């Protein structure tokens, strides 16, 4: 029974990490689009902010043992690419809607 609870907790925690990334990507895409950020600086800032916020969340706030989830890299990359794609779509749409000539 403990093993089932552990797997249920892991799945739910990974879902929280995944959906948190999607919310962060949407908000940052809106902010980056409203502010006229462009290029590599905007991409690098998103990656650093996204990874940093989630690292603080699961490292300091939730205080989970990263090794239970396969290490810190597994938690850091959970849902990252889909959130990156969502961020790019929102950023491009908002920027184009506001600043397109």
């Amino acid at each position: 029974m403990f093993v089932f609870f552990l797997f249920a907790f892991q799945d739910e925690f990974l879902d929280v990490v995944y959906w948190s990334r999607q919310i962060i990507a949407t908000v940052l895409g809106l902010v980056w689009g409203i502010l006229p950020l462009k290029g590599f600086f905007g991409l690098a800032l998103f990656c650093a902010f996204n990874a940093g916020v989630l690292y603080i969340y699961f490292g300091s706030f939730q205080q989970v043992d990263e090794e239970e989830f396969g290490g810190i890299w597994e938690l850091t990359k959970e849902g990252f690419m889909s959130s990156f794609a969502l961020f790019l779509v929102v950023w491009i749409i908002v920027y184009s809607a506001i600043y397109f000539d």
Side-chain angles (χ1 to χ4, degrees):
M1 180 164 166
F2 178 71
V3 173
F4 174 73
F5 176 73
L6 183 62
F7 285 127
F9 170 73
Q10 286 180 342
D11 288 341
E12 288 178 13
F13 185 71
L14 291 178
D15 286 345
V16 169
V17 170
Y18 177 84
W19 287 108
S20 297
R21 283 195 187 275
Q22 305 314 309
I23 292 168
I24 290 170
T26 303
V27 170
L28 290 181
L30 287 170
V31 171
W32 269 223
I34 292 170
L35 301 174
L37 291 178
K38 298 180 190 175
F40 181 74
F41 179 71
L43 294 175
L45 198 58
F46 167 76
C47 293
F49 190 82
N50 194 342
V53 167
L54 265 299
Y55 180 74
I56 290 170
Y57 172 73
F58 65 75
S60 298
F61 184 71
Q62 289 292 332
Q63 296 179 348
V64 296
D65 182 21
E66 294 95 5
E67 295 306 318
E68 290 180 14
F69 297 95
I72 194 167
W73 182 245
E74 290 298 320
L75 284 171
T76 303
K77 71 179 186 174
E78 176 69 27
F80 182 79
M81 289 308 292
S82 60
S83 72
F84 185 68
L86 177 63
F87 163 74
L88 287 176
V89 168
V90 173
W91 184 22
I92 292 168
I93 289 173
V94 171
Y95 184 87
S96 297
I98 293 174
Y99 299 104
F100 185 71
D101 292 335

